Amino acid sequence: MRIGILTFHAALNYGSVLQAYALQEYLVSKGHEVKVIDFRSRSQRRLYPSPISLDSPYNIKQTLRRIFSDWKEIRTMASKRSAFRRFISDNLHLTDICFKDEEALRSYDWSSFDMIVTGSDQIWNPSAIDFSLAYFLDFLDGKSASVCPKRVAYAPSAGPSGVFPSFRESGNWSSVSLQEKIKVLLSEYDALSVREKSTADFLFSGDFAGSPCPVMPDPVLLHDAGFYRSLAHSFDAAAKAIARQYILYYSPGKNDGKAELLADAAAAGMLGRNSSGILPSDKRLRIVRITDGSAGGAGKYRTAEAFYPASPAEFISLIDNAACTVGTSYHLLVLSMLLGKDFMCPDAASDSRKAQLLKAAGMSPETSCFRFSDPDIRAAVHTAVESLRASADSFWSGLGV
């Protein structure tokens, strides 16, 4: 079977790229030819601009600031973009054509594909800057059945709330007509699944009132720790070159004061398994912050050691070699769980994505410290993840995959 995947594969975001790679490799392991549809919309390109970018007023302003005050930021942003490009080029099976807008998708002949899969990641979050109806396969609308592949949604997310937020105006669609259009597009899928139970409940009630929708695990959960360690193995030297034990901090897209306080407390020895007091400054753990190098993502730890140019594979290596991890990233939680790293997070209870996964592993999201290194917790996590993988296997086998 020839399968296309449409997702946020080219975002400069570790979780986005790794979930695309994980789903690709899962389907390849089933014996299928898999292509990641290389769709990079203008809005997404603006969201993840080059360090010198003139494609929007905001990016022009940031470019001028970097040129006149922070050349280091330009170098570090360029290094990270290069690292991501290499990983994507080396590891994702991209279509020969790069689709830069929705019209290019509509004009393409999709008859050579047997199935197109949308998901995972927040592709169904209408409040996302890079939201597009393409992620609901609107470009297949009106095509004859003879040239139309099966439409499958695998674990797309509607965002942290788990439900579609108030629809913003989008192009020619009013908020009401956009919602109606999405309802029509969902009805044309051959198989639907979502990543959060709250999204499944939302689609089965209220204005949508569709059929029951199964909840599937994020693609990153479809592989074990060995899969990720094999991918990151050649990058371990970079993580191990850090002179002493470190805490990995990753909170993409925003500064989070609570997360930074957790990192600071962990570095001081206040949150460790055997913590008994505050460590002297020369004994504190180093905080290694992953960021794109921009001032907007620097936060409190701008002077801390920051491994700016990390690729997705290096990101895994940095997690695996850290003393613990701290942040607000959903995929940092997932990978910390799989790799058995203690994870600290201030917003697990308020984020339906994190809360659902933690509850599945028998853990309360109400706390902020998750001891994935504990043998009993690791055993419970293993059992929970195996159950989630079994549900995914059943979903795909029901589609003949």
Side-chain angles (χ1 to χ4, degrees):
M1 189 180 297
R2 192 165 194 255
I3 302 174
I5 298 172
L6 185 61
T7 187
F8 288 157
H9 74 286
L12 297 187
N13 175 283
Y14 296 103
S16 295
V17 175
L18 288 171
Q19 61 85 24
Y21 175 70
L23 182 56
Q24 169 192 279
E25 293 303 288
Y26 176 84
L27 295 174
V28 167
S29 73
K30 300 292 185 183
H32 302 285
E33 179 189 354
V34 182
K35 291 288 185 180
V36 175
I37 298 169
D38 198 8
F39 173 52
R40 310 187 190 201
S41 66
R42 184 180 182 187
S43 59
Q44 188 175 87
R45 298 196 302 274
R46 284 182 171 180
L47 182 60
Y48 300 99
S50 64
I52 305 296
S53 176
L54 306 177
D55 63 359
S56 73
Y58 175 81
N59 286 336
I60 291 172
K61 180 179 178 180
Q62 293 302 309
T63 292
L64 293 173
R65 177 186 61 76
R66 294 181 192 115
I67 289 173
F68 289 108
S69 66
D70 202 342
W71 277 93
K72 180 181 177 182
E73 186 177 316
I74 292 175
R75 291 193 298 270
T76 52
M77 288 181 69
S79 294
K80 181 173 180 179
R81 286 176 64 84
S82 178
F84 266 73
R85 284 176 175 171
R86 285 195 304 271
F87 181 89
I88 291 169
S89 175
D90 292 346
N91 294 282
L92 295 186
H93 306 163
L94 301 178
T95 52
D96 294 335
I97 296 175
C98 179
F99 302 92
K100 294 188 176 181
D101 55 41
E102 290 80 357
E103 186 54 42
L105 290 169
R106 277 190 283 272
S107 62
Y108 186 75
D109 179 6
W110 296 101
S111 60
S112 65
F113 286 86
D114 301 295
M115 178 185 293
I116 295 181
V117 181
T118 50
S120 179
D121 215 352
Q122 295 185 48
I123 59 168
W124 283 5
N125 182 354
S127 64
I129 293 174
D130 44 356
F131 171 77
S132 170
L133 284 175
Y135 298 109
F136 290 89
L137 300 181
D138 75 324
F139 56 89
L140 296 179
D141 225 10
K143 294 189 181 293
S144 66
S146 61
V147 300
C148 200
K150 282 186 177 180
R151 310 180 198 200
V152 175
Y154 181 77
S157 173
S161 68
V163 301
F164 293 159
S166 299
F167 290 93
R168 60 182 173 83
E169 299 290 323
S170 178
N172 295 323
W173 300 100
S174 68
S175 58
V176 175
S177 61
L178 177 61
Q179 186 166 350
E180 289 301 314
K181 180 62 176 176
I182 289 175
K183 287 172 62 176
V184 172
L185 292 171
L186 290 176
S187 71
E188 295 174 347
Y189 272 76
D190 296 279
L192 283 173
S193 70
V194 292
R195 198 175 70 183
E196 282 80 47
K197 182 179 183 300
S198 50
T199 307
D201 294 341
F202 175 73
L203 294 178
F204 189 52
S205 63
D207 292 334
F208 279 86
S211 301
C213 184
V215 177
M216 290 290 115
D218 185 281
V220 174
L221 287 162
L222 300 180
H223 304 277
D224 62 16
F227 172 86
Y228 294 107
R229 288 188 174 120
S230 176
L231 177 66
H233 175 70
S234 61
F235 296 99
D236 279 352
K240 292 176 180 176
I242 298 171
R244 62 178 187 266
Q245 276 197 313
Y246 63 89
I247 293 167
L248 184 70
Y249 181 96
Y250 179 51
S251 186
K254 61 181 179 180
N255 297 330
D256 191 293
K258 292 180 180 179
E260 291 177 344
L261 285 173
L262 282 174
D264 197 52
M270 298 168 64
L271 299 178
R273 186 180 304 280
N274 299 313
S275 60
S276 58
I278 300 176
L279 295 173
S281 58
D282 62 333
K283 300 292 185 182
R284 286 170 59 99
L285 273 67
R286 183 172 299 175
I287 296 173
V288 176
R289 186 184 185 109
I290 295 292
T291 174
D292 61 3
S294 64
K300 178 180 177 182
Y301 296 112
R302 179 152 194 178
T303 58
E305 180 172 349
F307 202 88
Y308 286 126
S311 72
E314 289 169 312
F315 178 61
I316 296 169
S317 176
L318 286 165
I319 294 172
D320 201 27
N321 287 283
C324 66
T325 63
V326 182
T328 57
S329 162
Y330 171 77
H331 284 101
L332 181 62
L333 161 62
V334 173
L335 288 165
S336 298
M337 178 183 285
L338 292 175
L339 295 168
K341 290 293 172 178
D342 291 347
F343 171 66
M344 302 177 194
C345 173
D347 69 346
S350 61
D351 186 328
S352 66
R353 305 167 302 165
K354 300 186 186 90
Q356 176 180 296
L357 180 57
L358 290 164
K359 288 176 181 177
M363 304 180 73
S364 170
E366 300 300 326
T367 183
S368 58
C369 299
F370 305 96
R371 307 295 186 192
F372 295 131
S373 66
D374 182 278
D376 291 336
I377 292 177
R378 292 190 73 169
V381 166
H382 176 77
T383 299
V385 171
E386 285 298 308
S387 177
L388 292 172
R389 290 173 185 157
S391 69
D393 289 341
S394 178
F395 175 83
W396 288 110
S397 64
L399 294 169
V401 173

